[in-house]
Amino acid sequence: MKRILFLSGKGGTGKTSLAGAFAVLAKEKVLVDCDVDAANLHLLLAPEIVSEGEFEGSKEAVKDATACTSCGKCREVCRFAAIDEDLAIDPYLCEGCGACAYVCPADAITLSPRESGHWFTATTRLGPLASAELYPGEETSGKLVMLVKQKADGLGRQAKAERLVIDGAPGIGCPVIASASGVNAVILVTEPSLSGLHDLKRILGVVRHFRIPAYLVINKADLSEEISKTIEAFAQEQDLLLLGRIPYDGKVTERMVVGESAVEDAESPAGAAMQEVFARFTEALA
């Protein structure tokens, strides 16, 4: 089972749009949304939830008021101002570090698991889906991504899938690294802007660090022919295979509004370009 991951150094490059196109075009696949901070692949899929659950990725301090002696040592060591003058613990400020529980002479504070997110698996019009949402303010995105990938692997074995089509997170942080573990190939989606080129260099460095085969797609390439050529030159210098250039096309948004991919519109120039990208990638991966 091949694991194909879509990444971009920055948000807004069209990564999810291309992942959605592959979801339409690929056969025998499972769809995976590892962008747990802002999951949106499901918007193209009309999912019907099959299983779901809460994700406990962090802990928070809980005080037993009957055992507390009000010595104040917990407040002295808290670096996050989570304990007020009345020695009440604010769960929104608590980082779950455990310092308060460690110094409490009465053992009145314990660390309890905290619900940090929500995961689900679903059937969709294009195949099985595994996805999740990290709750605001939580910092355990990497753990939740790994849980999503475990669910996806289970769906893949059950469906005897040939591919996992994985929509990753933008940037180069923890959810990206967690998404990249164990994948067979990464498709990098960039745009013709200075920030797009800058962040492409950063994400390529991450992917090359983990020795994962990488491929490049320039989305909205006709918005700046000059920068697109600069990106192509960079790709050539880095021996990074360019799968294709996708033109800016308002039909991408039009199809997205009705929950479809541009490749499902026969009159979409971007959709036609995405089909060419898919064909070249399939040939390169063979």
Side-chain angles (χ1 to χ4, degrees):
M1 187 165 56
K2 299 291 186 180
R3 295 166 173 81
I4 315 303
L5 174 63
F6 294 81
L7 292 177
S8 60
K10 64 181 291 294
T13 63
K15 167 181 56 62
T16 301
S17 295
L18 187 59
F22 271 55
V24 174
L25 299 170
K27 307 296 183 183
E28 306 298 331
K29 74 280 183 178
V30 168
L31 312 173
V32 192
D33 196 340
C34 287
D35 186 4
V36 297
D37 288 291
N40 56 11
L41 182 61
H42 62 278
L43 298 177
L44 302 176
L45 304 174
E48 295 184 5
I49 294 178
V50 174
S51 63
E52 59 185 328
E54 296 300 322
F55 166 66
E56 296 179 343
S58 59
K59 296 182 178 181
E60 65 181 357
V62 177
K63 186 181 77 170
D64 180 357
T66 61
C68 177
T69 62
S70 301
C71 68
K73 290 185 177 181
C74 55
R75 189 166 187 260
E76 293 175 5
V77 300
C78 182
R79 298 298 181 90
F80 304 101
I83 303 177
D84 63 20
E85 294 180 355
D86 296 325
L87 304 183
I89 301 173
D90 187 335
Y92 293 102
L93 294 178
C94 178
E95 292 287 330
C97 69
C100 56
Y102 181 77
V103 301
C104 180
D107 292 329
I109 300 177
T110 57
L111 293 180
S112 297
R114 173 165 56 193
E115 291 184 0
S116 304
H118 180 83
W119 63 267
F120 70 88
T121 64
T123 57
T124 78
R125 66 187 186 89
L126 299 178
L129 168 70
S131 183
E133 176 188 14
L134 188 70
Y135 292 153
E138 294 295 332
E139 299 178 349
T140 52
S141 57
K143 291 182 180 180
L144 184 52
V145 167
M146 295 306 296
L147 176 60
V148 171
K149 292 175 68 177
Q150 291 172 8
K151 298 296 181 181
D153 283 342
L155 292 175
R157 289 190 296 269
Q158 182 179 354
K160 298 181 180 180
E162 297 178 359
R163 293 182 180 179
L164 296 186
V165 177
I166 308 170
D167 185 21
I172 59 172
C174 185
V176 171
I177 294 172
S179 299
S181 65
V183 303
N184 299 99
V186 172
I187 297 178
L188 303 176
V189 184
T190 191
E191 64 181 16
S193 66
L194 293 179
S195 59
L197 175 57
H198 173 270
D199 292 345
L200 170 63
K201 294 177 180 179
R202 295 203 308 165
I203 188 60
L204 179 61
V206 172
V207 172
R208 289 274 169 87
H209 173 79
F210 291 107
R211 301 179 182 179
I212 306 171
Y215 305 85
L216 176 64
V217 174
I218 305 176
N219 191 32
K220 299 172 283 188
D222 52 338
L223 292 184
S224 175
E225 189 64 30
E226 179 182 358
I227 299 180
S228 288
K229 289 181 179 179
T230 301
I231 293 174
E232 289 180 357
F234 168 74
Q236 189 170 8
E237 291 173 2
Q238 296 294 319
D239 195 25
L240 177 62
L241 179 61
L242 177 64
L243 294 175
R245 295 164 47 126
I246 300 173
Y248 177 81
D249 181 5
K251 289 184 177 296
V252 173
T253 304
E254 291 177 10
R255 304 318 302 172
M256 194 179 301
V257 168
V258 296
E260 295 180 356
S261 168
V263 296
E264 297 176 272
D265 188 331
E267 299 180 356
S268 169
M274 290 177 182
Q275 293 186 47
E276 293 179 6
V277 166
F278 177 79
R280 290 171 184 168
F281 175 74
T282 301
E283 181 181 352
L285 196 63

